[in-house]
Amino acid sequence: MKGSAILPFGLSLGFMSTALPFLLTRQGVSLGRVAGISATALSPTVWAFLFKPLLDSGLKRSTYCLILTATASISIAVGVAMLTPAHLGVAVPALLIATFSMVLYTGSANGWMSQVTGDHERGIVAGWQNVANLGGGALGSFAVMGLLKHSIVTQQSAGLLMAVLVWVGATPLLFFPKPPEPKFRMSEVFSKTLIEIGRAVRRRECLVGFALLLSPAAGSAASNLQSGLGKDFHASETTVIWVMGIGAAIACSIGALVGGKLADRFPRGYVYLFSGLGTAATAIAAAVLPRTPAVYIVTTLLYNAITGSIYAAYNALGLELTGDSPVASTQLGLFAASINGNVNYMTRADGLGYRKAGVTGMYLVDGLASVVCIVPLLFLVKSERKRRALRAGVAA
């Protein structure tokens, strides 16, 4: 259950990718503009890795987690409270700061996790990470969307609720083994720490990992916009809330646990890419099928279930490639920046596809970009496995 410590990250980013499009589109903001706002709020998932070396130096990982949880809770309370068309100038920067804080929180928690997790359990830990991340995020969004739709709470109260949930989500850290003392002093962050990072990420297997994660082969970016597609499929707001809330939470959680199990039994690169093929097929199907509520429900839930598997495989692969590295936070942060980078640029590309050709354009951009990348990457993974087997003196 170590992976459940990622829940604050899931709650925060789940809001950005699910509740934010729902809340803004129902206030009259176009989905094309929402795609840009969402990508901006989520952009620290791409560039915040530049600050990850700090997490491997100076303070203990537990101390960093405490500081970053406090910062994120305040920022998300402000961002949610001010999320209206008239106050986007305040809301978007606040949500961006919350994302930045949660990316660093996750880097510190993941680095801690990597150092105290054995290889035999990395898949299942990755599965639970994504139950907390994707499933927990969907549940949090469900609560916020439902409460606001029925006017049970104000947006100010919803912001405070999100802040409280962030703190509650961090409580599993209290049961972690004591984190190792940092190997590097804060004064060494731009010297010894960076040298160790460079040595770690230049390994061939890490470079292959970056190739997989940077490509749109399995980014599943369409899930960031699906809560804004209700009108296109003639689905009611209630349907959207249940599908993107409870439905997505269950689907993502099942997919994550299945993906985690598979990642402990099969090569993690293959699990990642074949899961990406699943979301690509679902996206293409959604592009050509009739625009009905039933199609929206089935394709959205299936897409989210496979997304859970993708992220479990990604996390397991990252833990495998990082191991007990003294710069685990930074190394895992670079992997996270890679996959989040492809999600970010594909969210923008999907939004452009929607502007040009509606739902068909959005899903075709998402699915076809994935298919084009998967085939060569499968050959790359196969080649790397053969190389490692030969180096180990074992027939591939």
Side-chain angles (χ1 to χ4, degrees):
M1 296 289 285
K2 292 174 188 162
S4 60
I6 305 304
L7 181 57
F9 179 84
L11 289 168
S12 301
L13 271 73
F15 177 87
M16 315 295 179
S17 60
T18 302
L20 184 152
F22 174 82
L23 294 175
L24 288 181
T25 53
R26 76 192 299 261
Q27 294 180 71
V29 182
S30 70
L31 188 63
R33 187 183 178 197
V34 169
I37 293 170
S38 179
T40 299
L42 291 168
S43 65
T45 62
V46 180
W47 51 260
F49 75 90
L50 295 170
F51 297 83
K52 292 291 179 74
L54 293 170
L55 304 178
D56 292 312
S57 313
L59 305 176
K60 287 185 178 181
R61 301 191 194 280
S62 53
T63 304
Y64 281 122
C65 286
L66 177 63
I67 294 170
L68 293 163
T69 300
T71 304
S73 63
I74 295 170
S75 301
I76 201 164
V78 174
V80 175
M82 302 298 289
L83 191 63
T84 65
H87 298 98
L88 291 176
V90 175
V92 176
L95 293 175
L96 186 146
I97 292 170
T99 303
F100 175 69
S101 301
M102 277 292 95
V103 170
L104 294 187
Y105 164 87
T106 303
S108 189
N110 273 339
W112 188 355
M113 208 177 302
S114 183
Q115 292 178 317
V116 297
T117 301
D119 186 67
H120 66 284
E121 60 176 338
R122 283 174 182 151
I124 193 62
V125 167
W128 280 107
Q129 279 182 311
N130 287 283
V131 170
N133 180 11
L134 302 174
L139 278 176
S141 296
F142 170 76
V144 171
M145 291 188 296
L147 290 171
L148 289 175
K149 177 182 182 295
H150 297 290
S151 300
I152 297 173
V153 299
T154 63
Q155 280 199 206
Q156 290 76 15
S157 298
L160 290 174
L161 173 63
M162 287 296 297
V164 171
L165 289 175
V166 165
W167 277 105
V168 172
T171 55
L173 293 175
L174 297 174
F175 304 97
F176 271 36
K178 185 178 179 180
E181 292 290 336
K183 182 178 178 180
F184 307 105
R185 297 190 300 273
M186 189 68 75
S187 60
E188 298 173 325
V189 67
F190 295 115
S191 55
K192 292 182 180 179
T193 305
L194 292 183
I195 292 171
E196 183 65 31
I197 292 166
R199 184 182 298 117
V201 301
R202 285 199 303 269
R203 291 185 293 122
R204 182 182 170 92
E205 55 266 35
C206 284
L207 295 176
V208 171
F210 287 129
L212 266 63
L213 302 176
L214 281 167
S215 81
S220 61
S223 60
N224 287 345
L225 301 174
Q226 287 170 329
S227 66
L229 295 178
K231 292 180 181 178
D232 295 273
F233 284 89
H234 310 290
S236 68
E237 284 192 346
T238 300
T239 298
V240 173
I241 290 172
W242 278 93
V243 169
M244 294 304 299
I246 295 293
I250 294 172
C252 287
S253 298
I254 292 172
L257 292 175
V258 171
K261 290 281 189 180
L262 292 174
D264 277 338
R265 297 188 63 183
F266 300 101
R268 287 153 185 164
Y270 286 152
V271 176
Y272 179 79
L273 291 174
F274 279 110
S275 296
L277 187 61
T279 53
T282 305
I284 293 170
V288 300
L289 287 171
R291 305 287 183 263
T292 66
V295 169
Y296 175 75
I297 293 168
V298 172
T299 56
T300 300
L301 291 179
L302 181 59
Y303 193 99
N304 277 271
I306 303 172
T307 295
S309 179
I310 287 172
Y311 277 80
Y314 143 69
N315 284 124
L317 181 63
L319 290 172
E320 174 189 333
L321 295 175
T322 302
D324 61 354
S325 168
V327 290
S329 288
T330 303
Q331 196 169 340
L332 287 167
L334 289 169
F335 291 138
S338 299
I339 190 170
N340 288 323
N342 96 58
V343 172
N344 195 282
Y345 70 70
M346 282 305 300
T347 297
R348 293 181 185 272
D350 288 354
L352 180 61
Y354 183 88
R355 289 182 187 179
K356 298 295 184 183
V359 172
T360 300
M362 183 190 108
Y363 273 126
L364 284 180
V365 167
D366 193 81
L368 294 178
S370 180
V371 170
V372 167
C373 295
I374 283 173
V375 174
L377 288 172
L378 282 170
F379 282 105
L380 179 63
V381 171
K382 182 178 180 182
S383 173
E384 173 60 14
R385 284 180 54 75
K386 282 186 176 181
R387 186 191 71 84
R388 292 173 66 180
L390 288 172
R391 191 174 65 179
V394 178

